[in-house]
Amino acid sequence: MTRFLGAGPLASISLVAFIGCLGLSSCSLGAASAANSSPDWITFANGRLAYGSDAQGNRVPDFSKAGYHNGDSAPPDLPVAATVKPQSSGDDTARIQQAIDQVAKSGKPGSVELAAGDYQLSGTLKISTGTVELRGAGSGANGTRLVAAGKVHTLVSISGTGSRSLTGSAVPVTSGYVPVGADRLEVADASALHVGDHVIVARPQEKAWIHAIGMDQIPPRPDGTPSKQWTPNSGLQFDRTITAVNGKAVQFDVPLTNALESQYTHATVQRYTFDGRISESGLAHLSADGSAFEKDPTWHDSGYFNSQLVSVDAAQDSWVDDVVASRFGSAFDIGENALRISLVKTSSLDESVPQDIHAQPAAYTISGQESLIQHCTVTGSNLHAWVTQARVPGPNVISDCTATNTGSRILDAGPHQRWATGTLYDAITMSPPSGRLQLSDRQWMGSGQGWAGANSVLWNCAVGASLVENPPTAHNWAFGCIGNQDKPPAGHQDGEIVSPGKPVKPASLYAEQLAERHAGH
């Protein structure tokens, strides 16, 4: 049996108490049941994972439902419905868009196939209908290449319209404490909630909680100017589907990645509709060159933030597959209204970022939830490889990816600002030793980014250095990571550091969680 011992500040509970608490949203074990040792957060024996928890029932989340159709199937290649061939010169935006619109109007699933060659794009190709794919003849040298032209913009948008529309009344959560990893809770009245309903489990960020984590007391910036403090807001909005209702107990399809604590927040469950959100659309088998954007006069004035190959938003169960982006500032973006999006076998190469600027873009940005970025490559310098933005609900997964610093400036990764929860950085490699992963308090940086992420995991990552801190009211974990382990600043607390410098089994937490779920474990 391989055993990994945690090293966190919260005490373990007895096995009997833990088993009795599994999946019960109303369970509260309290400090009286705690011992003085850390929990065995994860053990792996006989080909199975087993999970420990802290005294309140919080555990390492299940990340297996990230991605297209919760990882239960691979993105498809839709049948070819239209074909476009390269032309000798001129802009190709309008004629490719015409083919996309033609397929969309047919009402049948289909792809627009771009034959091998180059296509100039001075505008944005918009896939705004479900079951439409834009597909090339391959991402290699003899395949299909999109070539940016004109002012900085996004080359491909996969997005419906609008946002969620809440319906009915928000039903208060009555469970005193719903731990991280739970998929059920109790509400005041479940009579209007039914199996199959799409709901938002809302955890507002209220004044008492903001104070408890110190985000109303962010220290001044180094130049002495005041930092922007956090103020009450809508907080985390977990997009879930109801799978069972039993009396006042409601169960969801995907676990929560932040605790719901009645002492800090008035959590609710509310049904929603999203008529404008599309599904089953994608981009596949091509490459793109964004170097022309560097000629835009706005480039050095932060234009690189808007230099995108593809943006996905107001979409679910959609994909980007086998796509290579070269010399973009911010190549791949998953928007806040995106759900279950897979980016598989993608690359952001030679990231083109001015080396004298101090507000770096990100090769991959996640603002949505249940996202999967897998088998990806980043090269460049003075950038963030993979980031989450503010108040991003998990789970989100970045798995089996590499980032290589090709210059002399920073190359880092991790949650970027204001409490994104439940991100797994799984089997990540960053080189050379300057590559850095961090789950930490970013304090005064930016507009007061503060605690950037919580209840997130580094698993078997090989990096130059990592910084993993436990935020107040939450955990962050690092299992089997190779590289220097930075110490938190004064007044901060180490995260749950397990087996530092020695990889653990299984090699990939995401792959193992997915395999066990598919096996019915």
Side-chain angles (χ1 to χ4, degrees):
M1 171 176 168
T2 303
R3 187 172 188 172
F4 313 133
L5 297 179
L10 296 181
S12 67
I13 61 176
S14 71
L15 180 61
V16 172
F18 169 57
I19 292 173
C21 219
L22 274 176
L24 299 181
S25 61
S26 58
C27 180
S28 180
L29 295 171
S33 64
N36 292 321
S37 61
S38 300
D40 294 351
W41 290 111
I42 295 181
T43 59
F44 185 61
N46 302 318
R48 292 278 300 277
L49 294 165
Y51 302 87
S53 73
D54 66 22
Q56 295 170 297
N58 298 297
R59 50 156 282 184
V60 173
D62 177 7
F63 294 97
S64 71
K65 291 194 173 182
Y68 177 81
H69 281 284
N70 296 127
D72 294 334
S73 59
D77 281 332
L78 299 180
V80 176
T83 301
V84 177
K85 295 182 179 180
Q87 58 185 0
S88 57
S89 63
D91 182 51
D92 294 290
T93 308
R95 63 196 197 96
I96 297 175
Q97 187 64 56
Q98 183 179 21
I100 292 171
D101 294 343
Q102 174 188 329
V103 174
K105 289 177 182 177
S106 74
K108 298 178 181 180
S111 68
V112 173
E113 186 169 79
L114 302 179
D118 288 357
Y119 298 83
Q120 301 288 326
L121 296 180
S122 62
T124 300
L125 299 174
K126 297 179 180 180
I127 299 174
S128 54
T129 304
T131 67
V132 175
E133 179 185 45
L134 180 63
R135 186 165 78 220
S139 61
N142 297 317
T144 298
R145 186 174 69 147
L146 307 181
V147 180
K151 295 183 177 181
V152 173
H153 64 278
T154 299
L155 266 59
V156 181
S157 168
I158 302 172
S159 179
T161 58
S163 58
R164 303 178 192 90
S165 177
L166 296 172
T167 64
S169 300
V171 182
V173 173
T174 56
S175 303
Y177 191 94
V178 182
V180 175
D183 62 0
R184 66 187 70 182
L185 48 76
E186 291 189 354
V187 296
D189 180 4
S191 60
L193 302 175
H194 305 92
V195 173
D197 282 350
H198 301 298
V199 297
I200 294 297
V201 181
R203 182 194 178 277
Q205 294 182 350
E206 300 179 16
K207 185 176 180 180
W209 176 78
I210 292 171
H211 180 69
I213 67 169
M215 292 295 97
D216 56 355
Q217 302 174 51
I218 301 172
R221 301 172 66 87
D223 62 4
T225 57
S227 297
K228 184 176 181 179
Q229 308 297 325
W230 293 15
T231 56
N233 58 78
S234 59
L236 298 171
Q237 305 282 301
F238 292 98
D239 192 329
R240 298 294 186 261
T241 300
I242 295 177
T243 57
V245 179
N246 185 7
K248 294 183 178 181
V250 181
Q251 187 165 359
F252 308 106
D253 58 334
V254 178
L256 302 176
T257 58
N258 202 99
L260 309 182
E261 320 98 316
S262 60
Q263 72 187 105
Y264 292 132
T265 188
H266 295 81
T268 59
V269 178
Q270 188 169 7
R271 292 179 294 121
Y272 79 85
T273 59
F274 198 159
D275 294 338
R277 185 157 63 185
I278 65 173
S279 62
E280 305 292 338
S281 290
L283 177 72
H285 309 311
L286 52 79
S287 66
D289 181 358
S291 59
F293 288 154
E294 298 164 34
K295 300 175 184 177
D296 186 331
T298 69
W299 178 257
H300 200 275
D301 298 326
S302 77
Y304 39 84
F305 281 105
N306 298 316
S307 170
Q308 296 181 336
L309 167 54
V310 56
S311 173
V312 185
D313 201 9
Q316 66 183 22
D317 296 318
S318 295
W319 63 90
V320 178
D321 183 14
D322 180 29
V323 170
V324 176
S326 297
R327 298 182 70 175
F328 286 81
S330 305
F332 298 95
D333 182 80
I334 299 174
E336 65 178 327
N337 288 312
L339 179 69
R340 299 190 299 267
I341 307 301
S342 284
L343 273 60
V344 183
K345 294 180 292 185
T346 59
S347 297
S348 182
L349 305 179
D350 300 321
E351 276 280 336
S352 184
V353 183
Q355 295 295 290
D356 60 338
I357 55 97
H358 299 286
Q360 295 84 7
Y364 292 79
T365 300
I366 299 174
S367 299
Q369 48 194 301
E370 298 170 47
S371 314
L372 173 64
I373 300 173
Q374 189 176 33
H375 310 316
C376 70
T377 302
V378 176
T379 65
S381 186
N382 203 29
L383 75 148
H384 310 297
W386 312 278
V387 302
T388 49
Q389 294 294 355
R391 299 184 290 275
V392 177
N396 288 297
V397 174
I398 302 147
S399 180
D400 189 22
C401 291
T402 64
T404 302
N405 193 339
T406 57
S408 59
R409 296 298 303 274
I410 70 163
L411 174 65
D412 64 10
H416 192 60
Q417 60 169 317
R418 296 181 178 242
W419 207 262
T421 68
T423 305
L424 170 62
Y425 299 84
D426 181 53
I428 297 297
T429 300
M430 300 183 73
S431 61
S434 57
R436 193 166 189 257
L437 262 173
Q438 55 189 55
L439 307 175
S440 65
D441 181 1
R442 292 175 60 83
Q443 301 186 40
W444 47 263
M445 292 184 183
S447 59
Q449 292 165 350
W451 281 109
N455 304 316
S456 294
V457 178
L458 309 185
W459 186 274
N460 284 344
C461 294
V463 298
S466 62
L467 174 60
V468 179
E469 302 179 283
N470 267 347
T473 76
H475 293 285
N476 282 312
W477 294 269
F479 295 87
C481 291
I482 297 173
N484 293 329
Q485 180 185 317
D486 292 343
K487 297 300 294 182
H492 285 214
Q493 193 172 56
D494 274 321
E496 313 300 333
I497 311 297
V498 181
S499 189
K502 183 179 180 181
V504 297
K505 293 182 179 179
S508 165
L509 179 61
Y510 166 72
E512 181 63 27
Q513 287 182 328
L514 181 63
E516 290 188 19
R517 181 166 63 82
H518 285 168
H521 297 331

